[in-house]
mmCIF file of all heavy atoms in Angstrom:
data_model
loop_
_atom_site.group_PDB
_atom_site.id
_atom_site.type_symbol
_atom_site.label_atom_id
_atom_site.label_comp_id
_atom_site.label_asym_id
_atom_site.label_seq_id
_atom_site.Cartn_x
_atom_site.Cartn_y
_atom_site.Cartn_z
ATOM 1 N N GLY A 17 -26.459 -19.833 21.621
ATOM 2 C CA GLY A 17 -27.902 -19.925 21.352
ATOM 3 C C GLY A 17 -28.569 -20.446 22.604
ATOM 4 O O GLY A 17 -28.386 -19.880 23.679
ATOM 5 N N VAL A 32 -13.115 -24.263 35.130
ATOM 6 C CA VAL A 32 -12.681 -25.545 34.560
ATOM 7 C C VAL A 32 -11.872 -25.301 33.282
ATOM 8 O O VAL A 32 -10.792 -25.870 33.098
ATOM 9 C CB VAL A 32 -13.900 -26.458 34.289
ATOM 10 C CG1 VAL A 32 -13.510 -27.672 33.467
ATOM 11 C CG2 VAL A 32 -14.531 -26.898 35.618
ATOM 12 N N ALA A 51 4.677 -31.637 35.785
ATOM 13 C CA ALA A 51 3.375 -30.967 35.937
ATOM 14 C C ALA A 51 2.321 -31.968 36.420
ATOM 15 O O ALA A 51 1.481 -31.641 37.263
ATOM 16 C CB ALA A 51 2.945 -30.346 34.599
ATOM 17 N N VAL A 58 -4.786 -32.266 43.381
ATOM 18 C CA VAL A 58 -6.100 -31.895 42.829
ATOM 19 C C VAL A 58 -6.799 -33.143 42.279
ATOM 20 O O VAL A 58 -8.002 -33.333 42.464
ATOM 21 C CB VAL A 58 -5.964 -30.834 41.706
ATOM 22 C CG1 VAL A 58 -7.343 -30.444 41.181
ATOM 23 C CG2 VAL A 58 -5.227 -29.600 42.224
ATOM 24 N N THR A 64 -11.623 -38.296 45.407
ATOM 25 C CA THR A 64 -12.342 -38.321 46.690
ATOM 26 C C THR A 64 -13.780 -37.818 46.515
ATOM 27 O O THR A 64 -14.727 -38.390 47.082
ATOM 28 C CB THR A 64 -11.598 -37.468 47.740
ATOM 29 O OG1 THR A 64 -10.273 -37.982 47.846
ATOM 30 C CG2 THR A 64 -12.270 -37.519 49.091
ATOM 31 N N PRO A 146 -27.147 -64.652 37.230
ATOM 32 C CA PRO A 146 -26.020 -64.378 36.340
ATOM 33 C C PRO A 146 -24.793 -63.996 37.158
ATOM 34 O O PRO A 146 -24.894 -63.802 38.372
ATOM 35 C CB PRO A 146 -26.520 -63.169 35.539
ATOM 36 C CG PRO A 146 -27.429 -62.456 36.495
ATOM 37 C CD PRO A 146 -28.030 -63.489 37.391
ATOM 38 N N ALA A 147 -23.636 -63.850 36.489
ATOM 39 C CA ALA A 147 -22.410 -63.466 37.209
ATOM 40 C C ALA A 147 -22.484 -62.025 37.691
ATOM 41 O O ALA A 147 -21.830 -61.659 38.666
ATOM 42 C CB ALA A 147 -21.198 -63.669 36.307
ATOM 43 N N SER A 156 -30.006 -43.141 28.065
ATOM 44 C CA SER A 156 -29.574 -42.082 27.163
ATOM 45 C C SER A 156 -30.668 -41.815 26.128
ATOM 46 O O SER A 156 -30.851 -40.689 25.673
ATOM 47 C CB SER A 156 -28.300 -42.543 26.451
ATOM 48 O OG SER A 156 -28.059 -41.768 25.315
ATOM 49 N N ALA A 197 -19.654 -51.712 41.444
ATOM 50 C CA ALA A 197 -18.842 -50.890 40.553
ATOM 51 C C ALA A 197 -19.742 -49.825 39.950
ATOM 52 O O ALA A 197 -20.916 -50.069 39.663
ATOM 53 C CB ALA A 197 -18.207 -51.734 39.457
ATOM 54 N N TRP A 205 -23.535 -34.549 32.999
ATOM 55 C CA TRP A 205 -24.157 -33.688 34.023
ATOM 56 C C TRP A 205 -23.163 -33.045 34.960
ATOM 57 O O TRP A 205 -23.502 -32.099 35.673
ATOM 58 C CB TRP A 205 -25.243 -34.481 34.757
ATOM 59 C CG TRP A 205 -26.281 -34.895 33.767
ATOM 60 C CD1 TRP A 205 -26.355 -36.089 33.102
ATOM 61 C CD2 TRP A 205 -27.327 -34.078 33.218
ATOM 62 N NE1 TRP A 205 -27.389 -36.066 32.188
ATOM 63 C CE2 TRP A 205 -28.009 -34.842 32.250
ATOM 64 C CE3 TRP A 205 -27.770 -32.774 33.471
ATOM 65 C CZ2 TRP A 205 -29.096 -34.353 31.521
ATOM 66 C CZ3 TRP A 205 -28.860 -32.285 32.751
ATOM 67 C CH2 TRP A 205 -29.503 -33.071 31.798
ATOM 68 N N PRO A 230 -0.352 -55.795 32.620
ATOM 69 C CA PRO A 230 0.335 -56.897 31.953
ATOM 70 C C PRO A 230 -0.315 -58.241 32.319
ATOM 71 O O PRO A 230 -0.994 -58.331 33.347
ATOM 72 C CB PRO A 230 1.756 -56.792 32.485
ATOM 73 C CG PRO A 230 1.702 -55.945 33.700
ATOM 74 C CD PRO A 230 0.489 -55.110 33.609
ATOM 75 N N GLY A 268 -24.156 -28.157 45.606
ATOM 76 C CA GLY A 268 -25.093 -28.936 46.436
ATOM 77 C C GLY A 268 -25.782 -30.000 45.603
ATOM 78 O O GLY A 268 -26.721 -29.678 44.860
ATOM 79 N N ARG A 273 -29.920 -31.780 41.841
ATOM 80 C CA ARG A 273 -30.850 -32.839 41.412
ATOM 81 C C ARG A 273 -32.288 -32.350 41.446
ATOM 82 O O ARG A 273 -33.067 -32.623 40.521
ATOM 83 C CB ARG A 273 -30.727 -34.052 42.341
ATOM 84 C CG ARG A 273 -29.465 -34.850 42.124
ATOM 85 C CD ARG A 273 -29.411 -36.001 43.142
ATOM 86 N NE ARG A 273 -28.037 -36.347 43.401
ATOM 87 C CZ ARG A 273 -27.547 -36.721 44.595
ATOM 88 N NH1 ARG A 273 -28.335 -36.782 45.650
ATOM 89 N NH2 ARG A 273 -26.283 -37.013 44.710
ATOM 90 N N THR A 303 -35.685 -36.646 36.412
ATOM 91 C CA THR A 303 -34.504 -36.392 35.577
ATOM 92 C C THR A 303 -34.805 -35.160 34.723
ATOM 93 O O THR A 303 -35.964 -34.731 34.634
ATOM 94 C CB THR A 303 -34.225 -37.557 34.602
ATOM 95 O OG1 THR A 303 -35.278 -37.619 33.612
ATOM 96 C CG2 THR A 303 -34.140 -38.904 35.322
ATOM 97 N N ALA A 304 -33.765 -34.603 34.104
ATOM 98 C CA ALA A 304 -33.951 -33.417 33.262
ATOM 99 C C ALA A 304 -34.020 -33.774 31.782
ATOM 100 O O ALA A 304 -33.931 -32.898 30.931
ATOM 101 C CB ALA A 304 -32.823 -32.425 33.508
ATOM 102 N N ILE A 305 -34.139 -35.066 31.487
ATOM 103 C CA ILE A 305 -34.184 -35.503 30.084
ATOM 104 C C ILE A 305 -35.634 -35.619 29.620
ATOM 105 O O ILE A 305 -36.452 -36.256 30.282
ATOM 106 C CB ILE A 305 -33.464 -36.857 29.922
ATOM 107 C CG1 ILE A 305 -31.969 -36.702 30.224
ATOM 108 C CG2 ILE A 305 -33.686 -37.430 28.523
ATOM 109 C CD1 ILE A 305 -31.174 -37.997 30.170
ATOM 110 N N HIS A 313 -44.396 -38.777 9.583
ATOM 111 C CA HIS A 313 -43.723 -38.155 8.438
ATOM 112 C C HIS A 313 -42.725 -37.072 8.817
ATOM 113 O O HIS A 313 -42.302 -36.296 7.959
ATOM 114 C CB HIS A 313 -44.733 -37.573 7.431
ATOM 115 C CG HIS A 313 -45.847 -38.525 7.123
ATOM 116 N ND1 HIS A 313 -45.611 -39.794 6.635
ATOM 117 C CD2 HIS A 313 -47.198 -38.418 7.285
ATOM 118 C CE1 HIS A 313 -46.774 -40.417 6.483
ATOM 119 N NE2 HIS A 313 -47.756 -39.611 6.891
ATOM 120 N N THR A 357 -33.819 -21.530 31.477
ATOM 121 C CA THR A 357 -34.904 -20.674 31.981
ATOM 122 C C THR A 357 -36.228 -21.066 31.333
ATOM 123 O O THR A 357 -36.250 -21.798 30.341
ATOM 124 C CB THR A 357 -34.629 -19.200 31.640
ATOM 125 O OG1 THR A 357 -34.586 -19.087 30.213
ATOM 126 C CG2 THR A 357 -33.316 -18.718 32.225
ATOM 127 N N SER A 377 -42.844 -29.291 5.155
ATOM 128 C CA SER A 377 -42.974 -28.645 3.852
ATOM 129 C C SER A 377 -41.817 -29.053 2.944
ATOM 130 O O SER A 377 -42.008 -29.232 1.752
ATOM 131 C CB SER A 377 -43.107 -27.129 3.991
ATOM 132 O OG SER A 377 -41.868 -26.573 4.306
#
Side-chain angles (χ1 to χ4, degrees):
V32 169
V58 181
T64 303
S156 162
W205 299 95
R273 286 177 208 143
T303 68
I305 295 177
H313 314 303
T357 62
S377 75

